[in-house]
Amino acid sequence: MSSETLERIARNKNVARAAARQLSMEQLHKLAEVIGEVIEHKQDEERQRKEDEIQKERKLAEIREAINDAGLSMEDLVAEQPRRKRGRPPKNGGKAAGKS
């Protein structure tokens, strides 16, 4: 079953009912169990992603506070941006050296 078919089934109750008519009760119960597991797994992933974002924000806040406490600014930490070289890159710049 393609992802397009699954999307059609998920968007339209009548399409889902038509697809369900082709399955036995045992198959429908198994499908419901599998979908439940998939939903639970996606919820766990989302929960973990949110926790990771919260930890990252906490760490950033701690770093900002430490910078401010030290009397520094972000400009003090960032060195001058390197200047780009002008001109064309070497003709063999993309090839590995030493190959025959």
Side-chain angles (χ1 to χ4, degrees):
M1 185 176 288
S2 72
S3 63
E4 287 180 12
T5 304
L6 286 173
E7 288 176 19
R8 277 187 55 231
I9 290 171
R11 282 194 306 263
N12 190 318
K13 194 182 286 188
N14 289 333
V15 173
R17 285 184 181 138
R21 280 190 214 109
Q22 299 173 6
L23 301 174
S24 69
M25 284 303 291
E26 182 180 332
Q27 290 171 319
L28 284 171
H29 285 291
K30 180 66 177 171
L31 179 61
E33 182 181 314
V34 169
I35 289 174
E37 290 173 6
V38 169
I39 290 170
E40 188 176 317
H41 182 72
K42 286 207 59 109
Q43 286 173 336
D44 289 345
E45 286 178 345
E46 182 67 15
R47 194 175 306 115
Q48 183 62 47
R49 187 189 62 75
K50 286 181 180 179
E51 286 177 19
D52 291 346
E53 284 181 18
I54 290 169
Q55 286 293 339
K56 184 178 178 179
E57 285 299 320
R58 284 184 188 147
K59 288 177 183 178
L60 282 171
E62 289 173 7
I63 291 170
R64 286 187 187 110
E65 186 178 339
I67 289 171
N68 288 335
D69 290 347
L72 299 172
S73 69
M74 291 303 293
E75 290 78 28
D76 294 329
L77 299 175
V78 178
E80 187 175 323
Q81 294 292 325
R83 295 180 186 232
R84 294 185 66 187
K85 294 181 181 179
R86 294 190 176 242
R88 298 177 78 183
K91 210 171 193 179
N92 296 339
K95 296 181 181 177
K99 284 195 173 182
S100 310

